[in-house]
Amino acid sequence: MPMLSEKKLESKTEQLSIINQFSSSLLQITHLDELFDYVTSQVVKRLGFVDCVIYLTDTNQQFLEAVACMGVAHESERYEVLQRKISIETGITGHVARTKQPFISGDVSQEPMYIADSRPALSELCVPLVYKEHLIGVIDCEHPDQNYFSANHLQILSTVAHLLSAKIHQVRTVDHLTATVSQLNEAQLLEKCILKIANITYHSRELDTFYDELYQIIYTLLPAENFFIGIYDTKQDMLEIEYLIEGGIKCPAQQKVSKSQLKQTASYYVIRSQSALMCDRQQFQSFVDKGEFKMVGRTPLAWLGVPFVVNDQYQGVIVLQSYEEEDTFSSQHYSILTYISRQISMAIDRRLAKQALEHRALHDELTGLANRYLLIERMKHAILSLGRSQATKLHCLIYLDLDRFKSINDSLGHEVGDKFLIAIVEAIQTCIRKTDTFSRLGGDEFAIFMENINSELEVTQALTRITNAIAKPFIIDSHILQASSSIGVAFTERDSDNAITLLQQADAAMYEAKSAGRSQIRYFNNAMRSKLKHQADIENDLQHGIKNQEFELFFQPIFTLNAPKVVSFESLVRWHHPRNGLVPPDQFIPIAENTGQIIELDLHILELAAKQLAQWQKQSLPSVKVTVNVSSRHFASLEFIDHIRTLYDKYDLNKGSLCLEITESGLIENLGLATKIIEGITPLGVQLYLDDFGTGYSALGYLHQLPIHVLKIDKSFVDQLTTKETPLIDAILSLAKSLQLEVVAEGIETPKQWALLKRKGCQLGQGYLVSKPMPSQQAMSFLVAQNTKP
């Protein structure tokens, strides 16, 4: 082997030193730009190359793009490669990239692949950058002299290319891993934030708290220095700013954007189009130039708005605005904001649903007025405030009951009745203060609570306005309807007063007005107070009376009119009051009905009747039926069937011996459920007597639907038999015959009444002509005597 000359040996040694230094330096370099600059300026140049360009392929390996260069520049000119991007299908560099093989030429002017630039060369050396058969790029060196590059140049440049390829792969791998880790961290942060958002959406009770917590999460994910949430009411055509952050500072919200200004905003554009908008300053300006919206406030450098829908009435928009160059919005920001908008929509929908539930719980569904509960709560609060007020103030409760409203419902239907009520309410609302609480207590009963009045004159003036307003004719569905009301008034001026007591006082005054005739007004007074006290005493004593067995049943016979014979007894309750003596039912039954004590009292009376029947059965006395009057409240619960079954089983009663009486109006109130209950006790043989028939308004229409057995004609009709014609009795008897029902005429007190009823075809009677109500022993003796008559 020929010996190297001393000059070449020094050159070889220098090259090896540079390569070794390059290898060592690669350990410290971590960025590709730094790496490429080092290769061209510190390695290739020192190796003696005067013109060098490093090209890297694109991801699809369609092009080679220059990333670093070094060369000889003309005077006052910085060297820069002219061909920055070369197709991989053209030129010598493209050939080397495709074949992954080095190329060396001493005269490229003879090479058809050579593409000359403004400073053509004669010699070219090009080597591929390849790592494990994967093309990374090429290193291309040129020289203006012919045959400049030698095999030594090729060897040394190939060594540089090999080291550089490995380092590029390493840096890219590290960058990819770093990016992957960063993406994983971002994904974990996003997932954590999404879980937090979902959690606060379902657990935040107050919307303001929800917004605060939501913004804290949003701020960790998005450039949210300027942020707002707007809710658009489609019915009122109004946008309300629910939550607002400006410059990272929370600002007062609940700002309403006027209709004229709303139409000019980008927010309204997003709501109207129901599509998100993400744009930079130029794009935002183009929308303004096209007239889509106007510039309102400062011009944003970036803008992102996402719409959402809450329900048919409410829509919304959530907006990010950037006024800093570094804060721009991306598709990821758009995706995050879209998710957040859905959570906001659900949170607002939950708030609206909660508000609707709360409103329904505190207001009347038909009229929208306060209900009894809300009225009492406001009365309690106002009465307590009397103790804190220095000035002498009065509160007043006005209780209104519409006169003869039921006749309108029954004759024209509930739809007309409802519209009539609404019209009356609207008329009254024009007569009272906005601070007054107007309440519907049920049916056709209303109350108006007037707080902080200076004198009774204010109430008198208000009552005049009210009575005049509702006295005017109302036209409802072409019907001309006239309204009037019975009104009771009560006052309170002490913080020790009770809201329930005040309501009872106004109610008592209203009943006094109703008793005096139509369109009357009564103020609560001491006489009414004494009456209320008496009722309260009765209410308190009723419970003790049931517990102490103070109630006794009296029995009035029901007999046949053709051949006089007792077939059953109506049981009538009497109260042996420890202080007041024997109390008739009309003095305590209405009170029991109003207080709800009637349920317990009825069950007690049914028990007494069943027990008495069982005693008569054991004595082998003539079998007889006993009827018990019960409240319509029992026909609102299927539990009543179990109560009757229990009595039959407990006392081993004969089938059909214990029967029930109920008024027609009470039965019709719960027609569907009442029918099920009656059908449930029919297997026990229980007959149902419809009491006071003919005094109601709707029974004739519903009679064929009711599984009843006996009609009882009210005493008021029987009383008229001796003085005038009674076509209603004839109609009832005819109707009963067609429906195969028995009829009992109540209140027969004269032989003439008996004879007329008998002639008209009435089967059964009841009244003082035969017997008054009797204690049990006397009743049974009467039965025995009647049955033993020849």
Coordinates of all heavy atoms in Angstrom, one line a residue, residues 737-787:
K737 N -137.3 5.0 38.4 CA -137.9 3.8 37.8 C -137.2 3.3 36.6 O -136.9 2.1 36.4 CB -139.4 4.1 37.5 CG -140.2 2.9 37.0 CD -141.6 3.3 36.8 CE -142.4 2.1 36.3 NZ -143.8 2.4 36.0
S738 N -136.8 4.3 35.7 CA -136.0 3.9 34.5 C -134.7 3.3 34.8 O -134.2 2.5 34.1 CB -135.9 5.1 33.6 OG -135.1 6.1 34.2
L739 N -134.1 3.8 35.9 CA -132.7 3.3 36.3 C -132.8 2.1 37.3 O -131.8 1.6 37.8 CB -131.9 4.4 36.9 CG -131.5 5.5 36.0 CD1 -130.8 6.6 36.7 CD2 -130.7 5.0 34.8
Q740 N -134.1 1.7 37.6 CA -134.3 0.6 38.6 C -133.7 0.9 40.0 O -133.0 0.1 40.5 CB -133.8 -0.7 38.0 CG -134.5 -1.1 36.7 CD -134.0 -2.5 36.2 OE1 -132.9 -2.9 36.5 NE2 -134.8 -3.1 35.4
L741 N -134.0 2.1 40.4 CA -133.5 2.5 41.8 C -134.7 2.7 42.7 O -135.8 3.1 42.3 CB -132.7 3.8 41.7 CG -131.5 3.9 40.7 CD1 -131.0 5.3 40.7 CD2 -130.4 2.9 41.2
E742 N -134.4 2.4 44.0 CA -135.5 2.6 45.0 C -135.4 4.1 45.4 O -134.3 4.8 45.2 CB -135.2 1.8 46.2 CG -135.5 0.3 46.0 CD -135.4 -0.5 47.3 OE1 -134.6 -0.2 48.1 OE2 -136.3 -1.4 47.4
V743 N -136.5 4.7 45.9 CA -136.6 6.1 46.3 C -137.1 6.1 47.8 O -138.1 5.5 48.1 CB -137.4 6.9 45.4 CG1 -137.5 8.3 45.9 CG2 -136.9 6.9 44.0
V744 N -136.4 6.9 48.6 CA -136.8 7.2 50.0 C -137.2 8.7 50.0 O -136.3 9.6 49.7 CB -135.7 6.9 51.0 CG1 -136.2 7.3 52.4 CG2 -135.4 5.4 51.0
A745 N -138.4 9.0 50.5 CA -138.8 10.4 50.7 C -138.5 10.8 52.1 O -139.1 10.2 53.0 CB -140.3 10.6 50.3
E746 N -137.7 11.8 52.3 CA -137.3 12.2 53.7 C -138.3 13.3 54.2 O -138.9 14.0 53.4 CB -135.9 12.8 53.7 CG -134.8 11.8 53.3 CD -133.4 12.4 53.4 OE1 -133.1 13.3 52.6 OE2 -132.7 12.1 54.4
G747 N -138.5 13.4 55.5 CA -139.2 14.4 56.1 C -140.7 14.3 56.0 O -141.4 15.4 56.0
I748 N -141.3 13.1 56.0 CA -142.7 12.9 55.9 C -143.3 13.2 57.3 O -143.0 12.5 58.3 CB -143.1 11.5 55.5 CG1 -142.5 11.2 54.1 CG2 -144.6 11.3 55.5 CD1 -142.8 9.8 53.6
E749 N -144.1 14.3 57.4 CA -144.6 14.7 58.7 C -146.1 14.7 58.7 O -146.7 14.9 59.8 CB -144.1 16.1 59.0 CG -142.5 16.1 59.2 CD -142.0 17.5 59.5 OE1 -142.8 18.4 59.5 OE2 -140.8 17.6 59.8
T750 N -146.8 14.6 57.6 CA -148.3 14.6 57.6 C -148.8 13.4 56.8 O -148.2 12.9 55.8 CB -148.8 15.9 57.0 OG1 -148.5 15.9 55.5 CG2 -148.2 17.1 57.6
P751 N -150.0 12.9 57.1 CA -150.7 11.8 56.4 C -150.9 12.2 54.9 O -150.8 11.4 54.0 CB -152.0 11.6 57.1 CG -151.8 12.1 58.5 CD -150.8 13.3 58.3
K752 N -151.1 13.5 54.6 CA -151.3 13.9 53.2 C -150.1 13.7 52.4 O -150.1 13.3 51.3 CB -151.8 15.4 53.2 CG -152.2 15.9 51.8 CD -152.7 17.3 51.9 CE -153.1 17.8 50.5 NZ -153.6 19.2 50.5
Q753 N -148.9 14.1 53.0 CA -147.7 13.9 52.3 C -147.5 12.4 52.0 O -147.1 12.0 50.9 CB -146.5 14.4 53.1 CG -146.5 15.9 53.3 CD -145.4 16.4 54.3 OE1 -145.0 15.6 55.1 NE2 -145.0 17.7 54.2
W754 N -147.8 11.6 53.0 CA -147.7 10.1 52.8 C -148.5 9.7 51.6 O -148.1 8.9 50.8 CB -148.1 9.4 54.1 CG -148.0 7.9 54.1 CD1 -148.5 7.1 53.1 CD2 -147.4 7.1 55.1 NE1 -148.2 5.7 53.5 CE2 -147.6 5.7 54.6 CE3 -146.8 7.3 56.3 CZ2 -147.1 4.6 55.4 CZ3 -146.3 6.2 57.0 CH2 -146.5 4.9 56.6
A755 N -149.8 10.1 51.7 CA -150.7 9.6 50.7 C -150.3 10.1 49.3 O -150.4 9.3 48.3 CB -152.1 10.2 51.0
L756 N -149.9 11.4 49.1 CA -149.5 11.9 47.8 C -148.2 11.1 47.3 O -148.2 10.7 46.1 CB -149.2 13.4 47.9 CG -150.4 14.3 48.0 CD1 -150.0 15.7 48.3 CD2 -151.2 14.2 46.8
L757 N -147.3 10.9 48.2 CA -146.1 10.1 47.7 C -146.4 8.7 47.3 O -145.9 8.2 46.4 CB -145.0 10.2 48.9 CG -144.3 11.5 49.1 CD1 -143.6 11.5 50.5 CD2 -143.3 11.8 48.0
K758 N -147.3 8.1 48.1 CA -147.7 6.7 47.8 C -148.4 6.7 46.5 O -148.1 5.8 45.6 CB -148.6 6.2 48.9 CG -149.1 4.8 48.7 CD -150.1 4.4 49.9 CE -150.7 3.1 49.6 NZ -151.6 2.7 50.8
R759 N -149.3 7.7 46.2 CA -150.0 7.7 44.9 C -149.0 7.9 43.7 O -149.2 7.4 42.6 CB -151.0 8.8 45.0 CG -152.0 8.7 43.8 CD -153.1 9.7 44.0 NE -152.6 11.1 43.9 CZ -153.2 12.1 44.5 NH1 -154.2 11.9 45.4 NH2 -152.7 13.3 44.3
K760 N -147.9 8.7 44.0 CA -147.0 9.0 42.9 C -146.0 7.8 42.6 O -145.3 7.8 41.7 CB -146.1 10.2 43.3 CG -146.9 11.5 43.2 CD -146.0 12.7 43.7 CE -146.8 14.0 43.7 NZ -147.1 14.5 42.3
G761 N -146.1 6.8 43.5 CA -145.3 5.6 43.3 C -144.0 5.5 44.1 O -143.1 4.7 43.8
C762 N -143.9 6.4 45.1 CA -142.7 6.3 45.9 C -142.7 5.1 46.8 O -143.8 4.9 47.4 CB -142.6 7.6 46.7 SG -141.1 7.7 47.8
Q763 N -141.7 4.3 46.9 CA -141.7 3.1 47.6 C -141.5 3.2 49.1 O -142.1 2.6 50.0 CB -140.6 2.1 47.1 CG -140.7 1.8 45.6 CD -139.7 2.6 44.9 OE1 -139.4 3.7 45.2 NE2 -139.1 1.9 43.9
L764 N -140.5 4.1 49.5 CA -140.0 4.2 50.9 C -140.1 5.6 51.4 O -140.1 6.6 50.7 CB -138.6 3.7 51.0 CG -138.3 2.3 50.5 CD1 -136.8 2.0 50.4 CD2 -139.0 1.3 51.4
G765 N -140.3 5.7 52.8 CA -140.4 7.0 53.4 C -139.6 7.1 54.7 O -139.2 6.0 55.3
Q766 N -139.5 8.3 55.2 CA -138.7 8.5 56.5 C -139.2 9.8 57.1 O -139.3 10.8 56.3 CB -137.2 8.5 56.2 CG -136.3 8.7 57.4 CD -134.9 8.8 57.1 OE1 -134.5 8.4 55.9 NE2 -134.0 9.2 58.0
G767 N -139.5 9.9 58.3 CA -139.9 11.2 58.9 C -140.6 11.1 60.2 O -140.9 10.0 60.7
Y768 N -140.9 12.3 60.8 CA -141.5 12.3 62.2 C -142.9 11.7 62.2 O -143.4 11.4 63.3 CB -141.5 13.8 62.6 CG -140.2 14.3 63.1 CD1 -139.0 13.6 62.9 CD2 -140.1 15.5 63.7 CE1 -137.8 14.1 63.3 CE2 -138.9 16.1 64.2 CZ -137.7 15.3 63.9 OH -136.5 15.8 64.4
L769 N -143.6 11.6 61.1 CA -144.9 11.0 61.1 C -144.9 9.6 61.7 O -145.8 9.2 62.4 CB -145.5 11.0 59.7 CG -146.9 10.5 59.6 CD1 -147.9 11.3 60.4 CD2 -147.4 10.4 58.1
V770 N -143.8 8.9 61.4 CA -143.7 7.6 62.0 C -142.8 7.6 63.2 O -143.2 7.0 64.3 CB -143.0 6.6 60.9 CG1 -142.7 5.3 61.5 CG2 -144.0 6.4 59.7
S771 N -141.7 8.3 63.2 CA -140.8 8.3 64.4 C -139.7 9.3 64.2 O -139.1 9.4 63.1 CB -140.3 6.9 64.7 OG -139.3 6.9 65.7
K772 N -139.3 9.9 65.4 CA -138.1 10.7 65.4 C -136.9 9.7 65.6 O -137.1 8.5 65.9 CB -138.2 11.7 66.6 CG -139.2 12.7 66.5 CD -139.2 13.7 67.6 CE -140.2 14.8 67.5 NZ -140.2 15.8 68.6
P773 N -135.7 10.2 65.4 CA -134.5 9.3 65.7 C -134.6 8.9 67.2 O -134.9 9.7 68.1 CB -133.3 10.3 65.5 CG -133.9 11.3 64.5 CD -135.3 11.5 64.9
M774 N -134.2 7.6 67.4 CA -134.4 7.0 68.7 C -133.0 6.4 69.2 O -132.3 5.9 68.3 CB -135.4 5.9 68.7 CG -136.8 6.4 68.3 SD -137.9 5.0 68.0 CE -137.3 4.4 66.5
P775 N -132.8 6.2 70.5 CA -131.6 5.5 70.9 C -131.8 4.0 70.5 O -132.9 3.5 70.1 CB -131.7 5.6 72.5 CG -132.5 6.8 72.7 CD -133.5 6.8 71.6
S776 N -130.7 3.3 70.5 CA -130.7 1.9 69.9 C -131.7 1.0 70.5 O -132.4 0.2 69.8 CB -129.3 1.3 70.1 OG -128.9 1.2 71.5
Q777 N -131.8 1.0 71.9 CA -132.8 0.0 72.5 C -134.2 0.4 72.1 O -135.0 -0.5 71.8 CB -132.6 0.1 74.0 CG -133.4 -1.0 74.8 CD -132.8 -2.4 74.5 OE1 -131.6 -2.6 74.3 NE2 -133.7 -3.3 74.3
Q778 N -134.5 1.6 72.1 CA -135.9 2.0 71.7 C -136.2 1.7 70.2 O -137.3 1.3 69.9 CB -136.1 3.5 72.0 CG -137.5 4.0 71.8 CD -137.6 5.5 72.1 OE1 -136.7 6.1 72.7 NE2 -138.7 6.2 71.6
A779 N -135.2 1.9 69.4 CA -135.3 1.6 68.0 C -135.6 0.2 67.7 O -136.5 -0.2 66.9 CB -134.1 2.1 67.2
M780 N -134.9 -0.7 68.5 CA -135.1 -2.1 68.2 C -136.5 -2.5 68.8 O -137.2 -3.4 68.2 CB -134.0 -2.9 68.9 CG -134.0 -4.4 68.5 SD -134.3 -4.8 66.8 CE -132.9 -3.9 66.0
S781 N -136.9 -2.0 69.9 CA -138.3 -2.2 70.4 C -139.3 -1.8 69.4 O -140.3 -2.5 69.2 CB -138.5 -1.5 71.8 OG -137.5 -2.0 72.7
F782 N -139.1 -0.6 68.8 CA -140.0 -0.1 67.8 C -140.1 -1.1 66.6 O -141.2 -1.4 66.1 CB -139.6 1.2 67.3 CG -140.5 1.9 66.3 CD1 -141.5 2.6 66.7 CD2 -140.2 1.7 64.9 CE1 -142.4 3.3 65.8 CE2 -141.1 2.3 64.0 CZ -142.1 3.1 64.4
L783 N -138.9 -1.6 66.2 CA -138.9 -2.6 65.1 C -139.7 -3.9 65.4 O -140.5 -4.4 64.6 CB -137.4 -2.9 64.7 CG -137.2 -4.0 63.7 CD1 -137.8 -3.5 62.3 CD2 -135.8 -4.4 63.5
V784 N -139.4 -4.4 66.6 CA -140.1 -5.6 67.0 C -141.6 -5.4 67.1 O -142.4 -6.2 66.6 CB -139.6 -6.1 68.4 CG1 -140.5 -7.2 68.9 CG2 -138.2 -6.5 68.3
A785 N -142.1 -4.2 67.6 CA -143.5 -3.9 67.7 C -144.1 -3.8 66.3 O -145.2 -4.3 66.1 CB -143.7 -2.6 68.5
Q786 N -143.4 -3.1 65.4 CA -143.9 -3.0 64.0 C -144.1 -4.3 63.3 O -145.0 -4.6 62.6 CB -143.0 -2.1 63.2 CG -143.0 -0.6 63.6 CD -144.3 0.1 63.1 OE1 -144.7 -0.1 62.0 NE2 -144.9 0.8 64.0
N787 N -143.1 -5.2 63.6 CA -143.1 -6.5 62.9 C -144.1 -7.5 63.5 O -144.5 -8.5 62.8 CB -141.7 -7.1 62.9 CG -140.8 -6.4 61.9 OD1 -141.2 -5.8 61.0 ND2 -139.5 -6.6 62.2

